[in-house]
Amino acid sequence: MAERRYSVGYALLPKKQHSFIQDSLVTLACSRGVDLIKIDQERPLSDQGPFDCILHKLYGEDWRRQLEDFRARNPDALIFDSPNAIERLHNRISMLQVVSELKIESRTESFGIPNQIVIYDKETLFDEKAWTRLKFPVIAKPLVADGSAKSHKMVLIFNHDGLNKLKPPIVLQEFVNHGGVIFKVYVVGEHVKCVKRKSLPDVSEEKLGSLEGSLSFSQVSNLATNERSDESYYKLMNLEDAEMPPQSFLKDIAAGLRQAMKLNLFNFDVIRDSRVGTRYLIIDINYFPGYAKMPCYESVLTDFFCDIFHGREKE
């Protein structure tokens, strides 16, 4: 009897499709009985398939309705992930609330999120009473985190003068010195992989007094492209010297987030608080990130598909 093959229909925006659906992934998945099939976004989803699984990163009411219709007609098909679950990550406040709800036991490490407030209007922005919980420098991030270029535009604010350019609604997050290293933790089902990236340089108390206004950037891990980044700082800093957070600790956090958010495909950004070397702060969570930047992403994703399909067979 021929071995059962499984079909994964994918619906992604062109840029995401170009980076994720590479020949290396398609070939490996195919060799293990999993066929990756492009969903035609010009045709109703219910007219396509059959699919054992839908992999998607599209938004909007029309797409949501199509997924609901597909699920009604194909109750056994899997959808990664539910639009309702993904939506929580589109707001930078609700995104990190879930971290505060996690209960993870560790004798040595602790975790949390930086102090942050949401600002909805200019009045609150310049009202010092609203600032009692925060101290400079702070990072201003758009409240909406929908993956667009606009949602990645952030500003490091050194003092009150730097607030003038900001346009609410925004989230103000206290900047915590973290040795210029950010840990990006990729989650694919039960698989957890951590990589190191260069980040914003530390800001000392002495230096803070001499810095003016603000510094704009897009993503914390893309700082090397910024003209005003401190070149000598990056030359001195050896990324290899940065110690990774304990893998078991990261796996516990990832499992807690998966369960709480009901998501399988995401990453979270972690920094190590320079003041307390065993304290880690989660500063961002992203749905369906750039997995192609993760080492061996092809085998990780293929294992994920095989695990879910073969796991269902055993049930």
Side-chain angles (χ1 to χ4, degrees):
M1 194 171 95
E3 188 183 340
R4 160 95 154 92
R5 297 194 70 81
Y6 297 92
S7 57
V8 175
Y10 62 86
L12 306 168
L13 292 173
K15 188 179 174 188
K16 173 66 72 177
Q17 185 179 305
H18 180 71
S19 67
F20 182 76
I21 304 293
Q22 297 186 17
D23 290 344
S24 51
L25 172 64
V26 175
T27 304
L28 180 62
C30 183
S31 72
R32 295 185 58 189
V34 177
D35 299 315
L36 292 167
I37 301 162
K38 182 179 178 180
I39 290 169
D40 184 350
Q41 293 172 38
E42 300 298 314
R43 292 170 51 213
L45 178 59
S46 55
D47 293 349
Q48 301 178 63
F51 300 118
D52 296 291
C53 169
I54 300 276
L55 192 68
H56 74 102
K57 193 176 183 180
L58 297 179
Y59 305 120
E61 282 308 308
D62 178 60
W63 176 245
R64 185 189 283 260
R65 276 193 297 272
Q66 290 202 55
L67 281 177
E68 286 171 359
D69 186 35
F70 177 83
R71 186 188 287 281
R73 294 169 185 237
N74 304 273
D76 292 334
L78 297 164
I79 294 176
F80 292 111
D81 276 306
S82 154
N84 288 341
I86 297 167
E87 205 164 294
R88 183 175 197 167
L89 298 187
H90 287 177
N91 177 299
R92 282 202 161 89
I93 292 294
S94 62
M95 172 199 292
L96 293 184
Q97 273 173 345
V98 68
V99 178
S100 313
E101 297 161 13
L102 296 185
K103 300 280 186 286
I104 292 168
E105 288 184 21
S106 171
R107 291 183 182 174
T108 48
E109 288 79 27
S110 65
F111 70 97
I113 62 173
N115 287 336
Q116 60 179 26
I117 55 173
V118 61
I119 303 281
Y120 291 103
D121 53 61
K122 284 272 189 183
E123 271 179 39
T124 314
L125 186 60
F126 295 104
D127 179 2
E128 292 194 21
K129 289 177 191 163
W131 281 71
T132 50
R133 286 184 56 218
L134 297 184
K135 65 180 191 335
F136 288 108
V138 297
I139 293 180
K141 304 179 177 184
L143 179 61
V144 174
D146 58 4
S148 65
K150 187 180 171 186
S151 72
H152 286 304
K153 284 196 161 57
M154 303 181 206
V155 187
L156 182 59
I157 310 285
F158 301 116
N159 51 42
H160 278 279
D161 293 342
L163 299 175
N164 295 315
K165 295 178 186 172
L166 301 181
K167 292 180 181 173
I170 50 169
V171 172
L172 295 177
Q173 193 177 77
E174 202 167 283
F175 177 75
V176 176
N177 285 335
H178 53 281
V181 178
I182 188 168
F183 302 99
K184 300 190 85 66
V185 185
Y186 292 93
V187 180
V188 183
E190 293 181 5
H191 186 94
V192 178
K193 178 75 177 175
C194 179
V195 298
K196 294 182 273 193
R197 295 275 186 270
K198 289 182 180 180
S199 174
L200 290 165
D202 289 352
V203 180
S204 66
E205 291 284 343
E206 302 80 46
K207 198 174 177 185
L208 186 60
S210 64
L211 292 167
E212 293 179 11
S214 61
L215 166 67
S216 297
F217 61 98
S218 56
Q219 286 167 291
V220 171
S221 56
N222 289 353
L223 249 262
T225 61
N226 198 298
E227 289 170 16
R228 285 183 58 187
S229 62
D230 191 335
E231 288 302 319
S232 58
Y233 176 89
Y234 285 116
K235 283 173 184 164
L236 284 170
M237 192 187 85
N238 190 346
L239 200 59
E240 281 68 46
D241 293 343
E243 185 186 343
M244 287 284 209
Q247 177 70 5
S248 59
F249 178 61
L250 294 178
K251 285 195 87 160
D252 286 347
I253 293 176
L257 289 174
R258 267 184 72 209
Q259 189 173 4
M261 299 190 302
K262 296 183 170 51
L263 290 174
N264 290 276
L265 303 170
F266 61 94
N267 78 347
F268 56 99
D269 294 344
V270 180
I271 58 173
R272 180 188 283 118
D273 189 335
S274 294
R275 296 164 299 189
V276 186
T278 55
R279 180 152 181 82
Y280 295 89
L281 300 172
I282 296 171
I283 58 172
D284 218 351
I285 306 175
N286 304 288
Y287 176 64
F288 204 142
Y291 282 120
K293 296 174 188 170
M294 177 178 74
C296 307
Y297 96 101
E298 300 93 339
S299 56
V300 172
L301 268 296
T302 301
D303 285 348
F304 170 67
F305 294 135
C306 291
D307 288 348
I308 56 173
F309 292 139
H310 298 151
R312 294 187 97 194
E313 285 175 358
K314 291 171 187 168
E315 286 175 7

